Amino acid sequence: MEQFDVAVVGLGVLGSAAAYQAAQRGKRVIAFEQFEFGHVHGASHDTSRIVRTSNALPEYVRLAQSAYRDWAELEQATGQKLLTITGGLVFVPRDKASPFETLIKTLRATNLPHEVLNASEVKRRWPQFDIPDTVDAIYTADTGIAHASKTVAAMQYLARSNGAVLKENTPVDRVIPKKAGGVTIQTPKGEFHAAKVILATDAWTNKLLAPLGVHIPLSVMQEQVTYFKPTDPAAFEPERFPVWIWGGDPAFYGFPSYGEPTIKAGRDSSNNFMTPEQRTYVPSPQLSEQLSSFMKGFIPDKERQPLRTVTCQYTITPDRQFIISPLDNNKDIIVGLGAAHAFKFAPAFGRVLAELALDGRTKEDISKFGMPKTASSSSKL
C-alpha cells in the first residue's frame, strides 16, 4: 500500500494551507475532506476575512508579520490577488472592559506602525462613523481583507499542482498510530498510511482524538454575518472606508464594500452554542436584531437595508489560543486549531503545521500554542 509523508485531515483554510506547504516541498501528501470542496459546513467559506498584524498579544503580532510574507508568496504562486489592503480601525471604549485594552501597549512593544485617534479625528477622516468621545480608535494601515473562498481554492490548486492527492467526500473514521511509527488513516474508501498526520478538523477534532484517549475542551457555536445595502454605496468603497472592529462587549466587526455594493458586519463570538450535528444554518433573529441595533448608532444610515445573512461555525479553544502542536504522547499526530480567528494567519499557520510534520520543528515562536493544560488524556496512546 502506498506510503505518504504527510496526511492532512480537513481541507478548510488551515488544512488546505498545510497540504499546499507540504506538497511544494516535494513530499508525498494526501488530504481528506469529509464534505465537498468549497462546502459551507465549517468556517472557511463566503467571501471575506479580516487580515491584520495588529493584535493585543505579541505572539500573534509576530506570527501575523510572518503570515503577510506567506500571503505575498501565495499570491505570487497563484497569480491572483487574494488580499485587499484597506486600513483598519479598532475601537476601544475607555470606560468598559475590552479584549483590546493592551493593544496600544503591544503595538508599541512590537514597533508596529499605528495611530491612536480620538472620536473627532475619526469623524473627520471617516464621517460614516458616529462614536462617543469616550472611545479611542487605533488605526493600522496594513489591515485589510482576504478573499476567503478564493484563498482556499487557490491553496488546494497549488497542493494538487505540486502532486498532492486531495480527496473530497471522504470522511476519516479513525487515525491509528502504528507501533513502528507512522499513522494509519481509516476511511470508508479504504486505509491509507502516512509518516505524519495533521488534524485540521476544527469542530470535529475530538471525534478523532477520543479513540486516542485525548479530549480538548472546545466550545462550538453557530455564528452569522449580515450583508447590508447602504444608501450611498460609494461612501463604503475600500478607498474610502476601512475594515473595523468594535472592541466592546459584545464585540462586532465589519467590512467596506467588497465585490458588491454592500457592507458586511457581524458579532464576534455570540455564544450560540451547538454541535455540528445540531447546526440549523438558520440565522438567529435575536442576533440579527442586536447587530442592526448596534449598526444604527455606530454607522448611522436610515435607509440601509439588510440583504442576506450567512451562517458559519466557530470552534473556540480554552482562552481562545491557537493549538499548533503534536499530541503530547504521539508526535506523529499534529493538531491545528485556529480558535475562530486564524484565517488571517492561514498561509503561515499551514506552513508551521507542515514544518512540524516534516522537520519536527519550526522557526516560528509557537511556544504559547501547545496542547492546553485542560486537555485530558489517558494511556490509550
Side-chain angles (χ1 to χ4, degrees):
M1 186 173 293
E2 187 175 3
Q3 178 79 19
F4 292 90
D5 297 307
V6 179
V8 179
V9 185
L11 283 169
V13 72
L14 300 184
S16 297
Y20 148 59
Q21 292 282 359
Q24 75 166 354
R25 291 178 56 176
K27 303 301 181 179
R28 292 164 294 173
V29 177
I30 187 167
F32 307 91
E33 171 53 56
Q34 63 177 321
F35 304 112
E36 71 280 359
F37 296 140
H39 65 81
V40 299
H41 307 299
S44 298
H45 59 285
D46 202 33
T47 57
S48 50
R49 296 292 187 278
I50 295 174
V51 291
R52 55 188 170 95
T53 53
S54 65
N55 198 288
L57 298 176
E59 58 266 30
Y60 290 106
V61 173
R62 291 189 291 268
L63 187 60
Q65 289 172 324
S66 291
Y68 269 56
R69 293 189 288 271
D70 289 311
W71 277 110
E73 291 177 5
L74 180 62
E75 288 185 318
Q76 184 175 13
T78 60
Q80 296 186 64
K81 182 181 179 182
L82 300 173
L83 299 189
T84 299
I85 302 303
T86 63
L89 290 167
V90 177
F91 296 95
V92 183
R94 292 189 214 123
D95 54 349
K96 297 178 182 178
S98 169
F100 292 94
E101 286 175 345
T102 62
L103 178 59
I104 296 174
K105 179 180 178 181
T106 297
L107 297 184
R108 288 173 178 165
T110 56
N111 295 315
L112 199 69
H114 64 283
E115 299 176 65
V116 181
L117 308 174
N118 60 32
S120 61
E121 291 170 323
V122 170
K123 186 71 173 178
R124 178 179 58 82
R125 292 169 65 170
W126 300 282
Q128 301 91 331
F129 293 109
D130 187 8
I131 61 171
D133 293 336
T134 54
V135 172
D136 290 319
I138 298 93
Y139 177 75
T140 46
D142 66 351
T143 295
I145 304 169
H147 195 296
S149 58
K150 186 189 291 186
T151 294
V152 176
M155 289 174 169
Q156 291 173 359
Y157 170 81
L158 288 174
R160 285 194 203 92
S161 67
N162 283 281
V165 178
L166 307 188
K167 293 183 174 291
E168 64 180 337
N169 296 311
T170 307
V172 170
D173 298 322
R174 191 168 179 180
V175 293
I176 304 172
K178 296 189 289 187
K179 290 183 179 179
V183 183
T184 297
I185 300 99
Q186 292 184 338
T187 80
K189 300 180 181 179
E191 290 189 350
F192 303 85
H193 300 276
K196 305 283 183 178
V197 63
I198 294 169
L199 302 183
T201 42
D202 206 52
W204 295 270
T205 299
N206 280 325
K207 286 188 174 182
L208 293 177
L209 293 183
L212 304 172
V214 179
H215 177 83
I216 301 171
L218 299 175
S219 299
V220 183
M221 57 193 80
Q222 178 175 285
E223 299 295 311
Q224 61 192 60
V225 294
T226 297
Y227 288 80
F228 296 91
K229 179 184 178 182
T231 303
D232 180 14
F236 296 94
E237 290 294 323
E239 298 80 11
R240 298 178 60 186
F241 189 71
V243 166
W244 58 268
I245 297 172
W246 174 258
D249 185 14
F252 298 91
Y253 61 94
F255 299 77
S257 296
Y258 184 66
E260 63 178 4
T262 64
I263 57 173
K264 170 183 167 182
R267 174 180 166 178
D268 179 64
S269 192
S270 67
N271 299 323
N272 186 14
F273 296 105
M274 45 121 236
T275 66
E277 295 76 21
Q278 295 168 332
R279 185 175 166 190
T280 65
Y281 301 88
V282 178
S284 160
Q286 291 81 11
L287 291 175
S288 295
E289 175 55 36
Q290 182 189 57
L291 176 63
S292 293
S293 177
F294 170 79
M295 292 287 285
K296 285 178 183 176
F298 184 64
I299 306 175
D301 182 354
K302 291 182 179 180
E303 303 302 319
R304 181 173 52 230
Q305 296 294 323
L307 293 182
R308 67 183 184 278
T309 297
V310 178
T311 67
C312 70
Q313 190 168 261
Y314 266 29
T315 302
I316 307 296
T317 60
D319 300 325
R320 208 165 178 181
Q321 285 283 68
F322 289 167
I323 298 176
I324 311 176
S325 174
L327 294 184
D328 293 335
N329 296 325
N330 196 307
K331 303 303 181 184
D332 292 339
I333 300 173
I334 300 160
V335 176
L337 275 164
H341 65 112
F343 205 106
K344 64 184 72 67
F345 302 92
F349 200 121
R351 174 174 52 78
V352 170
L353 289 171
E355 288 169 349
L356 292 178
L358 297 173
D359 306 326
R361 62 187 184 278
T362 177
K363 65 180 181 180
E364 304 295 344
D365 180 6
I366 57 170
S367 57
K368 300 288 183 68
F369 305 144
M371 293 292 289
K373 295 179 180 179
T374 49
S376 60
S377 61
S378 71
S379 60
K380 292 182 182 179
L381 274 173

